[in-house]
Amino acid sequence: MISIQNISKKYGAQQVLNKVNLEFSGGQSIALIGPNGSGKTTLIKSILGLVLADQGQINVQNQDISLGPDYRKIIGYMPQLSKFPEQMKVGQLFSLIKKIRRDIAQNEYDLSLYNDFGIAKMEGKSLGALSGGMKQQVSAALAFLFRPKIIILDEPTAGLDPISNSILKHKVNEARAQNCLLITTSHILNDLEEMCNHVVYLMDGKIVLNEEMKFIAETTGEANLNKMVIKFLQTGKIAKCKI
Amino acid sequence: MQNISFSIAADLLKNKAIFIYGLLLAVLGWGMFLIESQPEKTILALLQITLIVVPLMTSIFATIYYYNSAEFIQLLLIQPLKRRSIIWGIFAGLSSGFVLSFLVGIGLPLLLFYPTTASLHLILSGTFLSVIFTGLALLVSTHQQDKARSIGFVLLLWIFFTFIFDGILLWAMYQLADYPIEQSILFGTFLNPVSVARTLVVMQTEAAALLGLSGAIFKDFFGSLKGSFIAMLILIIWGILPYLFVKRKFLTRDF
């Protein structure tokens, strides 16, 4: 579904992405991890067209994304910090976005997160008055609203309470089962463990690990993603040589 | 895709700041006519207000709006919308909001109390200035990350165009009085939309003393009819040009 070819991006003198190559397909749930400043958000923003890469090409469903914005019709995005226009009401936000997305009929909306998070009760509140977690809920509900085939979640669970957290995880797993592609970044690896089946590790703008989670677990003999990743990175080169 | 431009414009018209701006203009516009019995004087007072207040308010409001809607813009950018239509929506929405405020606040009383060609030209001038300074404000905002700096820069532009520019022109004329520089000075006047707007209106009135230096040269060179045609043409160019640079920057920047 997404093919990233040789993407590079520089901010000033800093090389944020360095010749990144990735192929993602439906049914994959990618855990995109890496230290702070490793280029995770920049990579995501390049896919979304918010950041324009200096080099390389990104194809979404075999279509070069630089050719037009229509590819974003199948992408749902939940940003890292959900920032919205302060004075706009939650209800207004939803109706505005629905107005923009006329391509999706009213009866096709996916309202499960909208209902589960109780967003109807927030409709009259202005977005500036919502707490960080509530904004995340709104943002998650919006990301899934138009039944996207590709869902990109940037630090989705950071501000969510435990119940909302498990609702979101459930939703992610459901979407994966429906053959959607999900890309999630997080520093909370426990959360990723429950939602993802593939790990991509970025460091200094380069991919150092791109494997099925099952494979990593088998090679390292660890059950915990945190330990898996550390062990795999230490022994990764050796393990690859053996295969 | 025009649909989104319209949505943004409609959203903007609900903005409190634009409402307050319209109210301020209305108090000035309607109030002037109510307290002054000679409309010939009123139009000149309104001209001064238009030349000073409209550029100041539109550029400051537009700058603040652009930065305050950073999140909103980002939200739009991740929708299947062209960047081109988003920036056009912002420009068109802001300009039409300011133009509408101006038309209700100053334009309507002018048409009601003093329906002359001079009034018509003042309405045109105010409309052009609203669009031009919205464009200039967006030009600064899209090229500058920091909001405070942008506001400072926009203020400087306003001071430059309203006060300093004619001073520089006058100084240049005194310094170079021995040379045939009328043509170059004339081209110099094109560089300031505020004096072009002023010239456009004053040429239609008897108050030639208010033309200012650039206006005097302008009228002398072109005469009234051709002059006002050329002035309008220059204002149109001033309205379009900043937007072209805004668009170019908006299409190629990162968010």
Side-chain angles (χ1 to χ4, degrees), chain A residues 9 11 45 49-52 69-70 72-73 77 83-85 88 93 96-97 99-102, chain B residues 3-4 7 11 14-15 71-72 74-83 251-255:
Chain A
K9 178 72 190 176
Y11 285 130
K45 285 188 169 180
L50 291 172
V51 167
L52 307 172
D70 281 348
R72 285 198 288 267
K73 280 181 184 166
Y77 172 54
K83 284 190 194 157
F84 296 110
M88 192 183 267
L93 174 71
L96 178 74
I97 300 294
K99 220 192 286 173
I100 293 172
R101 294 299 308 273
R102 289 233 171 96
Chain B
N3 171 20
I4 174 62
S7 283
D11 181 61
K14 285 184 252 165
N15 192 298
E71 294 92 23
F72 181 62
Q74 216 182 98
L75 194 70
L76 293 174
L77 282 168
I78 59 171
Q79 306 304 323
L81 297 170
K82 289 197 182 100
R83 285 192 179 191
L251 292 186
T252 55
R253 66 172 291 186
D254 294 324
F255 288 89

Side-chain angles (χ1 to χ4, degrees), chain A residues 84-88 90 124-132 134-135:
Chain A
F84 296 110
E86 297 263 306
Q87 73 282 7
M88 192 183 267
V90 176
K125 286 187 186 166
S126 60
L127 285 150
L130 298 184
S131 75
M134 287 159 101
K135 280 184 200 164

Side-chain angles (χ1 to χ4, degrees), chain A residues 28-34 40 44 152-158 165 168-169 172-173 176 182-201 213 223-226 228-229:
Chain A
Q28 276 189 314
S29 179
I30 316 288
L32 182 60
I33 53 179
K40 301 184 295 288
I44 281 177
I152 300 176
L153 309 163
D154 198 353
E155 298 278 352
T157 54
N165 190 337
L168 183 63
K169 275 183 210 160
V172 166
N173 287 327
R176 190 191 59 200
L182 295 113
I183 303 172
T184 314
T185 75
S186 182
H187 293 295
I188 309 167
L189 298 188
N190 287 340
D191 285 337
L192 292 176
E193 223 173 281
E194 297 169 42
M195 311 194 276
C196 302
N197 55 16
H198 194 103
V199 179
V200 171
Y201 192 96
M213 187 140 18
N224 173 302
L225 181 59
N226 215 341
M228 266 189 239
V229 169

Side-chain angles (χ1 to χ4, degrees), chain B residues 167-236:
Chain B
I168 293 176
L169 220 57
L170 200 62
W171 176 82
M173 242 185 139
Y174 265 113
Q175 294 300 313
L176 307 168
D178 298 338
Y179 306 94
I181 49 160
E182 275 76 15
Q183 292 243 8
S184 358
I185 295 281
L186 187 73
F187 271 109
T189 64
F190 293 173
L191 299 177
N192 183 358
V194 178
S195 30
V196 176
R198 184 198 294 122
T199 309
L200 182 62
V201 180
V202 176
M203 277 194 299
Q204 306 298 323
T205 68
E206 300 302 310
L210 284 174
L211 270 175
L213 175 68
S214 39
I217 298 169
F218 207 96
K219 188 172 181 180
D220 191 45
F221 199 84
F222 291 118
S224 269
L225 192 68
K226 202 172 157 199
S228 71
F229 178 71
I230 287 181
M232 264 188 250
L233 200 71
I234 294 165
L235 288 176
I236 290 173

Side-chain angles (χ1 to χ4, degrees), chain B residues 64-102:
Chain B
I64 293 175
Y65 178 85
Y66 183 81
Y67 285 96
N68 283 359
S69 48
E71 294 92 23
F72 181 62
I73 294 170
Q74 216 182 98
L75 194 70
L76 293 174
L77 282 168
I78 59 171
Q79 306 304 323
L81 297 170
K82 289 197 182 100
R83 285 192 179 191
R84 193 184 304 269
S85 25
I86 296 172
I87 191 64
W88 169 249
I90 295 169
F91 177 68
L94 275 170
S95 317
S96 54
F98 292 137
V99 167
L100 211 67
S101 301
F102 176 78

Side-chain angles (χ1 to χ4, degrees), chain B:
Chain B
M1 281 304 152
Q2 283 312 307
N3 171 20
I4 174 62
S5 307
F6 187 76
S7 283
I8 296 174
D11 181 61
L12 266 165
L13 287 177
K14 285 184 252 165
N15 192 298
K16 252 182 236 153
I18 289 188
F19 179 76
I20 292 170
Y21 168 68
L23 204 67
L24 174 82
L25 288 183
V27 169
L28 291 169
W30 295 85
M32 283 286 182
F33 275 109
L34 293 177
I35 55 173
E36 176 66 63
S37 52
Q38 289 172 275
E40 308 83 46
K41 279 187 187 171
T42 315
I43 186 171
L44 292 174
L46 286 180
L47 171 67
Q48 295 305 329
I49 289 169
T50 305
L51 293 178
I52 293 175
V53 174
V54 168
L56 176 67
M57 292 300 193
T58 47
S59 51
I60 296 274
F61 277 156
T63 308
I64 293 175
Y65 178 85
Y66 183 81
Y67 285 96
N68 283 359
S69 48
E71 294 92 23
F72 181 62
I73 294 170
Q74 216 182 98
L75 194 70
L76 293 174
L77 282 168
I78 59 171
Q79 306 304 323
L81 297 170
K82 289 197 182 100
R83 285 192 179 191
R84 193 184 304 269
S85 25
I86 296 172
I87 191 64
W88 169 249
I90 295 169
F91 177 68
L94 275 170
S95 317
S96 54
F98 292 137
V99 167
L100 211 67
S101 301
F102 176 78
L103 291 182
V104 173
I106 306 268
L108 212 57
L110 271 173
L111 284 181
L112 282 178
F113 295 113
Y114 193 56
T116 57
T117 36
S119 290
L120 207 66
H121 280 78
L122 177 52
I123 293 171
L124 274 175
S125 285
T127 305
F128 279 128
L129 284 178
S130 306
V131 177
I132 292 167
F133 277 83
T134 307
L136 287 173
L138 288 179
L139 181 64
V140 173
S141 313
T142 44
H143 284 76
Q144 170 66 47
Q145 298 281 347
D146 187 55
K147 180 179 177 181
R149 267 199 211 172
S150 280
I151 293 177
F153 201 78
V154 157
L155 275 176
L156 271 179
L157 269 183
W158 173 71
I159 293 171
F160 178 75
F161 283 138
T162 18
F163 304 112
I164 299 176
F165 191 89
D166 255 21
I168 293 176
L169 220 57
L170 200 62
W171 176 82
M173 242 185 139
Y174 265 113
Q175 294 300 313
L176 307 168
D178 298 338
Y179 306 94
I181 49 160
E182 275 76 15
Q183 292 243 8
S184 358
I185 295 281
L186 187 73
F187 271 109
T189 64
F190 293 173
L191 299 177
N192 183 358
V194 178
S195 30
V196 176
R198 184 198 294 122
T199 309
L200 182 62
V201 180
V202 176
M203 277 194 299
Q204 306 298 323
T205 68
E206 300 302 310
L210 284 174
L211 270 175
L213 175 68
S214 39
I217 298 169
F218 207 96
K219 188 172 181 180
D220 191 45
F221 199 84
F222 291 118
S224 269
L225 192 68
K226 202 172 157 199
S228 71
F229 178 71
I230 287 181
M232 264 188 250
L233 200 71
I234 294 165
L235 288 176
I236 290 173
I237 293 171
W238 262 105
I240 298 169
L241 213 56
Y243 175 69
L244 293 180
F245 286 103
V246 169
K247 195 174 95 179
R248 205 180 65 175
K249 183 71 184 174
F250 195 82
L251 292 186
T252 55
R253 66 172 291 186
D254 294 324
F255 288 89

